[in-house]
Amino acid sequence: MKDVVLVTGGAGYIGSVLVRQLLEAGHEVRVLDNMRMGGEALLPLIDDGALSIVRGDVRHESVVRQALEGVTAVVHLAAIVGDPACKREPELAREVNLLATQRLYELAEAAGVKRFVFASTCSNYGKMPDPNLMMDEASELRPVSLYAETKVAVERFLMARGRSSDCLPTALRFATVYGASPRMRFDLTVNEFTRDLVTGHELVVFGEQFWRPYCHVTDLARSALLVLAAAPEKVALEVFNVGDDEENYRKQDVVNAILKQVPDGRVRYVQSVDDPRDYRVTFQKIHSQLGFTITKRLADGIAEVKRAIQLGLISDPYAQRYANVPVKAPEPAGPATA
């Protein structure tokens, strides 16, 4: 029997991909989304009888109760996502990312939900204490932003509460996401860098030496599907990093990969030591325990974003609708810097 899955934030960048994957897998899907960033990503799906949509705020208990009726599993993606967005609206970030998430889990318990998949982040690792080490799920968490602080707090809440609950939690620490989605974003490193170079603008890079793990949006979404399909004893009270060991890159590496496909791109590097986030991550646990492997790599994501822009599928990639925070005007083109 297939789960009836509630996806909070299902109209978003990752959510709109996951909803399609769940429907293709034969699940009944309910979306809870306040449509703050628009709901157009779900337009092609509105006639699918297996999909229902609840427009509402995850902070509003009456709406959450309605959305949970008859649900057997929750994938919780709804959040104020990313460091800049949380810094811009810190009180809202605490309300949504921490308090509303804790209450959502309590209401899911009361509604008889059996599985609760929480979208966390590899940003929880903050800055590597030793640049020669790769962070795994047992590594010390060193959050250096409000966004990561809220994710760490929820992880701890879920793992403590879940020990005595029939609603089994799993936390997925997502790598930095990229790639094409029905709800496109260009305020993500790979997508933003590709956009600037493809459109002929000068790309300004701050702190090219900092490490991050990256993962395509399709594969991040697939990890939630994989957890739902796994035997409960494999995933209950577990935390999984989601990504691939070979997809850890410095910003410089990302730029070089884009320049292979956009050789006339113009880049200017600005020395920076201000970003405290600097981490490489290993993903062996999700690979060995759940058999997770990625289907797309950095070059694939760059190519699809490049094609989408060049074909005119996205007429104005600098439009505000493609960002979670106010966008800045692009820098004028200047001489390339090696």
Side-chain angles (χ1 to χ4, degrees):
M1 184 171 115
K2 297 290 186 181
D3 288 310
V4 180
V5 183
L6 172 65
V7 181
T8 69
Y13 181 72
I14 298 173
S16 58
V17 174
L18 175 61
V19 166
R20 285 164 168 80
Q21 293 176 350
L22 288 165
L23 291 171
E24 289 170 6
H27 293 288
E28 249 184 86
V29 181
R30 186 172 300 148
V31 168
L32 172 60
D33 199 300
N34 64 4
M35 308 299 172
R36 187 183 192 210
M37 300 298 177
E40 295 87 349
L42 299 180
L43 269 175
L45 308 176
I46 58 174
D47 290 330
D48 192 316
L51 174 66
S52 58
I53 299 172
V54 177
R55 182 180 181 182
D57 195 311
V58 73
R59 294 174 295 169
H60 297 162
E61 189 166 314
S62 61
V63 174
V64 172
R65 289 184 185 275
Q66 174 192 350
L68 285 168
E69 289 179 5
V71 165
T72 56
V74 171
V75 180
H76 181 44
L77 301 172
I80 304 302
V81 176
D83 299 349
C86 288
K87 186 175 181 180
R88 189 167 183 266
E89 298 180 282
E91 291 308 313
L92 179 62
R94 290 186 185 92
E95 288 178 13
V96 174
N97 295 6
L98 178 56
L99 301 178
T101 298
Q102 292 173 330
R103 188 57 180 150
L104 172 64
Y105 180 76
E106 293 168 347
L107 293 172
E109 281 184 306
V113 171
K114 299 303 181 186
R115 301 202 187 198
F116 192 95
V117 183
F118 172 60
S120 191
T121 174
C122 283
S123 288
N124 293 353
Y125 297 116
K127 188 175 184 66
M128 293 179 290
D130 182 343
N132 297 314
L133 294 179
M134 295 180 75
M135 303 296 99
D136 64 20
E137 290 81 355
S139 297
E140 179 187 0
L141 301 182
R142 302 156 62 95
V144 293
S145 66
L146 175 59
Y147 178 59
E149 287 171 6
T150 62
K151 294 295 187 179
V152 169
V154 171
E155 279 191 26
R156 289 172 176 163
F157 166 82
L158 291 175
M159 296 305 136
R161 177 115 181 187
R163 292 191 191 101
S164 57
S165 176
D166 292 328
C167 184
L168 305 177
T170 305
L172 298 176
R173 290 180 188 155
F174 288 161
T176 301
V177 66
Y178 66 87
S181 162
R183 193 259 141 165
M184 192 57 190
R185 285 180 61 190
F186 283 104
D187 54 348
L188 300 162
T189 301
V190 175
N191 295 355
E192 177 187 0
F193 286 10
T194 302
R195 174 200 64 187
D196 287 357
L197 292 176
V198 168
T199 57
H201 293 100
E202 181 182 60
L203 171 63
V204 181
V205 180
F206 295 85
E208 69 272 15
Q209 74 274 22
F210 295 123
W211 287 92
R212 301 279 193 286
Y214 293 88
C215 190
H216 194 280
V217 60
T218 296
D219 291 321
L220 286 187
R222 281 179 49 249
S223 69
L225 202 66
L226 195 61
V227 168
L228 294 177
E233 61 271 16
K234 283 191 172 184
V235 295
L237 298 171
E238 293 284 1
V239 176
F240 296 98
N241 296 331
V242 184
D244 184 275
D245 284 18
E246 295 183 5
E247 295 290 286
N248 286 283
Y249 298 105
R250 297 166 300 172
K251 287 184 183 178
Q252 174 77 71
D253 301 324
V254 173
V255 172
N256 290 342
I258 299 170
L259 290 175
K260 287 183 179 179
Q261 301 189 39
V262 189
D264 57 347
R266 296 185 177 274
V267 185
R268 175 161 57 93
Y269 295 102
V270 178
Q271 185 176 10
S272 173
V273 295
D274 294 336
D275 192 339
R277 296 166 301 160
D278 184 24
Y279 52 90
R280 291 187 297 156
V281 178
T282 180
F283 303 92
Q284 287 304 305
K285 181 179 177 181
I286 195 170
H287 175 68
S288 61
Q289 290 190 205
L290 299 183
F292 176 81
T293 56
I294 60 171
T295 63
K296 296 189 177 185
R297 297 194 174 273
L298 181 63
D300 302 315
I302 293 167
E304 69 185 19
V305 172
K306 175 188 174 186
R307 285 198 303 273
I309 294 171
Q310 290 181 331
L311 290 172
L313 302 181
I314 300 170
S315 58
D316 180 11
Y318 288 93
Q320 181 59 58
R321 61 182 298 190
Y322 299 123
N324 286 352
V325 293
V327 297
K328 297 179 181 178
E331 295 283 343
T337 301

